[in-house]
């Protein structure tokens, strides 16, 4: 198990249970500590409560969508303004991409176009973890 | 003594008569008188002689003059006769002309009446056109505004005519920012040199009504030409709220549908991937092979959905073309690098040939990349092992020939040719059709979507480029793509192609 990832925490905000568990399994095996949330509101609460090192955020979700989470996060405290956020969605629209970039997201990844392994690589890159 | 007096005296007097001195004196006086008389007579004679000579001379001169005058009078008379005849002819001519003029005038009056009627009819037609219609003169002042335009904008014809068009037509973009008058508008039509209409892109402009509400418009503007001179412009516009709503609904449906479709595909993709990388324990060869089949079919499904989504964006016209300075050579090289593995895997001889100093042009890199990816992957996929793929980039001058195609503007040509299966002659006209795949490649390779070339052609059609090909079955295919040196046409839209 890669020791370097020990102690790094990731918040997964994803309403699709099968996708959530795939991400959980993969990132746990990579040695990350995982927080999970099944909708935007849960995600926002968990983010402010746990201060993860990075957030993987879906867009289309019940209760509160990912864009609203991102907005509230960036409008919140100092931590919220700077925590790296990677949008991981299947919504592939230029408008959403530019909107999320404007709110200060770090990456906009389309799930179906990305291998789970490459998502892990992106996260490590963001957290400056040696691969 | 005077000789005459002497003779007279001799006849009358005796020779011996003596004469007194008084008589002698008298005779002397008489003799003098005779002499004086002689002198006077001689003088008179001479002067008479002179006068008569002069008179004769004058007479001769007069005679000459008279003859001359007579001659002149004769020729004058002739001239007068001639002139009179001419005049009569002229009068007859003029009479004819007068008659013709009268006829013409009558015709003209009739014509004028017909014209006035036609004009009234034209005006009635213009005014009743069911689209908004506004005409301006060469200084941009409104000279006509039809009923529909008045109804749509809320301004009456009376309050609009004579005012500059931009005082009445307030344009806005989607987010409510006013669009300055000099951007793609009547102004361009008035100052254009071309006579063709200037269509503006659907859904980009909104017109603001007098009451500050707004509506999306489709606008067509054309200069009005009279004897090669622009005397104004005419704009026709249509409220496209309904079309926009339908488009929006369609776009949202496609967008949501593709989102929903992608979710299960992502699940399959990630789980099969984790199985293949041994995350859930190692698989035996057979299991690995089966899972790999699932994984690859799933990838195809993802590609198909992406392609379908692109097609729907192309067809709805909602996609964006965003040109930026692009080094085509670099872009080509990076696409080639993507396919390096496939090229090596199939032992394909790959021969790139990029002209030196290809200038950087304004191009949408994502779209251009998509074009090159499609053509290159086709060339590689549809060429048997150990075949050859050529890839050329060069600058083409206007009016020169590329494969017998005359290029009508300076452009950059991308030429990709292969020694592959080719396109059957009888199916070549269908090759750019949506979902079409030629029979010969369907047998050999079942991975194509039939959407690649359709997408490539649509992008080029929208961005100002061209594409054509030459192909012979089992010999190979060459695709020619040109992108104007002035760059791709910009296109505003809500979606990007992927």
């Amino acid at each position: 198990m890669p020791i370097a990832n020990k102690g790094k925490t990731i918040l997964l905000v994803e309403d699709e249970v099968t996708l959530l568990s795939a991400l959980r399994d993969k990132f746990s095996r990579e040695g990350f500590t995982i927080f999970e949330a099944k909708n935007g509101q849960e995600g926002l609460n968990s983010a402010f409560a746990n201060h993860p090192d990075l957030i993987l955020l879906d867009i289309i979700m019940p209760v509160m969508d990912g864009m609203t989470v991102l907005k509230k996060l960036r409008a919140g405290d100092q931590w919220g303004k700077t925590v790296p956020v990677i949008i991981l969605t299947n919504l592939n629209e230029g408008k959403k991409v530019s909107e999320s970039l404007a709110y200060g997201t770090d990456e906009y990844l389309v799930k179906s176009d990305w291998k789970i392994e490459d998502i892990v690589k992106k996260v490590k890159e963001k957290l400056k973890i040696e691969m | 003594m005077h000789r005459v007096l002497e003779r007279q005296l001799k006849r009358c007097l005796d020779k011996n008569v003596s004469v007194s001195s008084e008589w002698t004196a008298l005779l002397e006086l008489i003799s003098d008188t005779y002499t004086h008389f002689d002198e006077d007579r001689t003088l008179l004679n001479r002067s008479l002689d002179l006068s008569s000579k002069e008179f004769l001379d004058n007479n001769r001169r007069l005679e000459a003059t008279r003859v001359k005058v007579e001659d002149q009078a004769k020729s004058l008379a002739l001239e007068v006769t001639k002139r009179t005849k001419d005049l009569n002819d002229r009068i007859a001519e003029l009479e004819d002309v007068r008659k013709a003029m009268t006829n013409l005038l009558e015709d003209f009056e009739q014509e004028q009446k017909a014209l006035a009627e036609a004009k009234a009819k034209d005006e009635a037609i213009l005014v009743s056109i069911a689209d908004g219609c506004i005409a301006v003169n060469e200084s941009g002042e409104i000279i006509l505004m039809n009923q529909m335009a008045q109804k749509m904008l809320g301004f009456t014809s009376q309050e609009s005519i004579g005012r500059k068009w931009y005082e009445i037509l307030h344009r806005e973009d989607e987010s409510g920012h006013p669009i300055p008058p000099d951007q793609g508008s009547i102004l361009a039509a008035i100052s254009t040199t071309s006579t063709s209409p200037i269509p503006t892109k659907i859904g980009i402009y909104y017109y603001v009504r007098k009451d500050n509400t707004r509506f999306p418009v489709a606008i067509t503007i054309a200069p009005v030409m009279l004897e090669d001179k622009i005397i104004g412009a005419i704009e026709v516009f249509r409220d496209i709220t309904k079309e926009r709503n339908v488009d929006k609904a369609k776009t949202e449906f496609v967008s949501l549908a593709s989102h929903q479709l992608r979710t299960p595909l992502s699940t399959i993709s990630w789980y099969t991937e984790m199985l293949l990388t041994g995350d859930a324990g190692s698989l035996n060869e057979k299991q690995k092979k089966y899972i790999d089949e699932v994984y690859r079919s799933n990838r195809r499904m993802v590609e198909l959905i992406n392609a379908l989504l692109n097609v729907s964006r192309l067809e709805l016209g909602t996609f964006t073309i965003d040109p930026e300075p692009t080094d085509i050579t670099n872009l080509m090289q990076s696409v080639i690098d993507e396919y390096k593995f496939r090229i090596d895997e199939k032992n394909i001889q790959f021969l790139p040939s990029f002209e030196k100093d290809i200038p950087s042009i304004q191009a949408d890199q994502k779209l251009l990349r998509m074009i090159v990816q499609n053509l290159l992957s086709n060339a590689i996929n549809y060429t048997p092992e150990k075949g050859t793929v050529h890839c050329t980039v060069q600058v083409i001058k206007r009016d020169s020939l590329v494969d017998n195609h005359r290029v009508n503007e300076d452009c950059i040509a991308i030429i990709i040719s292969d020694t592959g299966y080719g396109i059957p002659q009888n199916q070549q006209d269908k090759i750019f059709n949506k979902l079409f795949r030629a029979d010969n490649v369907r047998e050999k390779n079942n991975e194509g979507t039939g959407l690649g070339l359709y997408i490539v052609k649509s992008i080029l059609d929208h961005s100002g480029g061209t594409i054509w090909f030459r192909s012979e079955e089992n010999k190979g295919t060459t695709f020619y793509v040109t992108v104007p040196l002035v760059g791709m046409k910009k296109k505003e839209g809500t979606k990007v192609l992927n």
Side-chain angles (χ1 to χ4, degrees):
Chain A
M1 186 173 290
I3 304 299
N5 300 346
K6 272 273 188 230
K8 292 286 182 188
T9 53
I10 291 179
L11 169 60
L12 304 171
V13 191
E14 170 63 66
D15 64 321
E16 283 291 332
V17 180
T18 52
L19 291 176
L20 181 62
S21 56
L23 289 167
R24 180 211 304 125
D25 288 1
K26 190 73 188 178
F27 278 95
S28 305
R29 269 196 297 277
E30 290 288 333
F32 292 98
T33 304
I34 306 297
F35 299 109
E36 294 172 27
K38 290 194 186 67
N39 68 51
Q41 187 60 59
E42 273 182 29
L44 195 65
N45 296 345
S46 170
F48 282 126
N50 299 312
H51 282 199
D53 294 312
L54 184 143
I55 302 172
L56 277 174
L57 183 61
D58 189 14
I59 292 184
I60 297 187
M61 287 183 294
V63 188
M64 183 190 287
D65 68 23
M67 277 304 165
T68 315
V69 174
L70 186 60
K71 262 184 262 182
K72 287 187 186 278
L73 208 54
R74 294 310 189 209
D77 57 14
Q78 193 51 42
W79 173 84
K81 281 193 177 65
T82 51
V83 59
V85 175
I86 291 179
I87 299 281
L88 187 58
T89 178
N90 263 326
L91 202 63
N92 191 1
E93 280 179 31
K95 215 168 154 184
K96 283 275 184 265
V97 177
S98 51
E99 199 182 325
S100 65
L101 287 176
Y103 287 124
T105 180
D106 294 77
E107 292 282 349
Y108 188 106
L109 310 182
V110 176
K111 288 174 206 163
S112 60
D113 293 344
W114 280 75
K115 282 185 172 183
I116 199 159
E117 207 160 87
D118 292 334
I119 297 169
V120 172
K121 274 186 201 161
K122 267 281 171 226
V123 168
K124 286 180 179 173
E125 220 176 273
K126 280 286 151 226
L127 294 176
K128 301 196 172 59
I129 295 166
E130 303 248 337
M131 278 177 266
Chain B
M1 175 106 26
H2 193 278
R3 332 174 246 117
V4 178
L5 185 62
E6 219 170 36
R7 251 189 332 258
Q8 283 165 340
L9 286 176
K10 263 179 200 163
R11 243 179 281 145
C12 302
L13 298 172
D14 193 354
K15 255 180 204 173
N16 304 319
V17 170
S18 62
V19 182
S20 68
S21 65
E22 281 91 355
W23 282 97
T24 308
L26 179 68
L27 284 172
E28 280 300 322
L29 276 172
I30 292 169
S31 170
D32 282 355
T33 304
Y34 269 89
T35 309
H36 283 143
F37 177 79
D38 269 1
E39 278 171 11
D40 282 350
R41 199 179 49 95
T42 311
L43 254 172
L44 189 69
N45 268 352
R46 194 176 303 153
S47 79
L48 265 173
D49 258 12
L50 274 173
S51 290
S52 121
K53 206 173 156 214
E54 212 167 290
F55 182 77
L56 276 173
D57 276 356
N58 275 343
N59 204 27
R60 246 195 317 274
R61 268 203 294 273
L62 263 174
E63 180 59 23
T65 311
R66 193 191 58 83
V67 170
K68 215 185 270 173
V69 167
E70 234 167 47
D71 284 356
Q72 271 174 0
K74 257 183 226 154
S75 67
L76 211 66
L78 270 172
E79 186 73 6
V80 167
T81 320
K82 197 170 160 269
R83 286 282 174 92
T84 312
K85 196 175 164 288
D86 282 1
L87 265 175
N88 283 336
D89 289 354
R90 276 299 282 146
I91 288 169
E93 244 168 61
L94 276 172
E95 180 63 17
D96 286 351
V97 170
R98 194 190 61 79
K99 271 185 204 150
M101 288 295 282
T102 315
N103 283 340
L104 216 71
L105 208 69
E106 274 166 16
D107 287 358
F108 182 68
E109 269 162 12
Q110 262 174 11
E111 192 71 12
Q112 210 174 27
K113 217 172 127 197
L115 263 175
E117 269 168 29
K119 193 173 173 243
K121 213 185 255 176
D122 282 354
E123 259 167 27
I125 290 170
L126 267 179
V127 167
S128 326
I129 287 174
D131 282 343
C133 185
I134 285 181
V136 300
N137 61 17
E138 70 272 26
S139 40
E141 287 154 5
I142 296 174
I143 53 173
L144 180 140
M145 188 172 184
N146 76 345
Q147 284 157 0
M148 192 44 107
Q150 297 174 45
K151 201 171 140 197
M152 283 202 270
L153 296 166
F155 286 100
T156 64
S157 181
Q158 287 92 323
E159 62 189 325
S160 310
I161 283 174
R163 289 175 67 185
K164 295 275 186 191
W165 62 272
Y166 47 79
E167 295 175 334
I168 300 295
L169 297 173
H170 298 287
R171 293 181 305 160
E172 270 185 13
D173 63 13
E174 182 108 49
S175 39
H177 298 299
I179 296 164
D182 56 345
Q183 275 176 28
S185 65
I186 287 179
L187 199 69
I190 301 173
S191 46
T192 188
T193 46
S194 125
T195 52
S196 44
I198 304 168
T200 35
K201 292 147 230 159
I202 286 173
I204 293 176
Y205 295 141
Y206 286 81
Y207 271 156
V208 182
R209 299 188 186 93
K210 197 183 179 183
D211 62 6
N212 275 327
T213 56
R214 65 176 203 165
F215 60 97
V217 280
I219 306 170
T220 319
I221 302 168
V224 179
M225 307 285 291
L226 190 67
E227 286 167 357
D228 293 339
K229 232 184 103 209
I230 293 169
I231 58 159
I234 185 149
E235 169 175 322
V236 177
F237 59 95
R238 193 161 48 88
D239 184 339
I240 51 164
T241 308
K242 244 182 231 160
E243 289 94 321
R244 291 267 294 167
N245 289 343
V246 171
D247 274 1
K248 218 181 253 172
K250 272 197 240 169
T251 313
E252 267 162 25
F253 171 76
V254 170
S255 196
L256 269 176
S258 61
H259 173 263
Q260 301 302 72
L261 286 168
R262 277 201 195 106
T263 301
L265 292 176
S266 311
T267 312
I268 299 168
S269 177
W270 288 355
Y271 280 102
T272 48
E273 182 199 329
M274 288 194 288
L275 280 174
L276 285 169
T277 49
D279 280 27
S282 58
L283 305 179
N284 65 37
E285 280 312 303
K286 200 87 182 170
Q287 288 167 335
K288 221 175 201 168
K289 192 174 168 288
Y290 286 3
I291 297 289
D292 193 51
E293 290 292 346
V294 175
Y295 180 76
R296 286 202 298 168
S297 292
N298 188 63
R299 288 314 315 163
R300 270 181 58 205
M301 193 71 165
V302 170
E303 274 160 33
L304 194 59
I305 284 172
N306 283 345
L308 277 171
L309 187 62
N310 283 342
V311 166
S312 94
R313 284 171 183 175
L314 282 165
E315 290 182 349
L316 286 170
T318 50
F319 72 108
T320 308
I321 299 176
D322 187 14
E324 53 184 329
T326 302
D327 181 333
I328 290 202
T329 315
N330 272 352
L331 186 140
M332 294 287 297
Q333 195 53 56
S334 95
V335 177
I336 292 164
D337 290 346
E338 273 174 43
Y339 289 96
K340 190 88 180 65
F341 180 75
R342 281 285 288 158
I343 292 168
D344 293 346
E345 196 181 39
K346 287 187 80 173
N347 260 319
I348 282 173
Q349 193 185 12
F350 185 77
L351 303 168
S353 144
F354 302 153
E355 202 175 82
K356 264 188 192 152
D357 303 323
I358 296 274
S360 160
I361 63 163
Q362 288 286 324
D364 186 309
Q365 301 194 357
K366 213 166 177 179
L367 296 181
L368 193 58
R369 174 173 282 271
M370 207 179 282
I371 291 167
V372 179
Q373 278 171 337
N374 268 298
L375 295 178
L376 197 59
S377 71
N378 280 350
I380 296 164
N381 287 339
Y382 302 129
T383 296
E385 291 202 4
K386 292 179 181 150
T388 308
V389 172
H390 281 271
C391 179
T392 310
V393 180
Q394 59 192 96
V395 177
I396 306 288
K397 284 275 164 220
R398 187 189 155 173
D399 285 335
S400 46
L401 292 174
V402 181
D403 169 52
N404 279 331
H405 262 70
R406 190 168 296 283
V407 180
N408 59 11
E409 61 185 323
D410 292 351
C411 60
I412 290 180
I414 300 169
I415 304 165
I416 296 175
S417 68
D418 62 54
T419 56
Y421 308 128
I423 305 158
Q425 189 67 39
N426 62 351
Q427 295 190 317
Q428 292 194 353
D429 57 337
K430 300 196 190 80
I431 202 69
F432 292 116
N433 289 2
K434 198 170 20 177
L435 292 169
F436 177 81
R437 297 193 68 217
D439 291 339
N440 60 336
V441 297
R442 268 169 45 195
E443 289 164 10
K444 295 183 178 91
N445 171 325
N446 59 3
E447 284 189 6
T449 60
L451 293 171
L453 287 175
Y454 173 78
I455 290 171
V456 167
K457 175 119 177 32
S458 298
I459 293 171
L460 286 163
D461 285 349
H462 278 97
S463 62
T466 61
I467 182 167
W468 73 92
F469 67 93
R470 190 165 291 276
S471 182
E472 201 175 326
E473 211 173 344
N474 295 322
K475 287 246 170 89
T477 306
T478 305
F479 272 95
Y480 301 84
V481 167
T482 67
V483 181
L485 209 58
V486 293
M488 285 182 165
K489 279 190 260 176
K490 191 178 168 67
K491 180 180 178 307
E492 309 255 348
T494 51
K495 305 280 187 290
V496 289
L497 300 189
N498 295 286

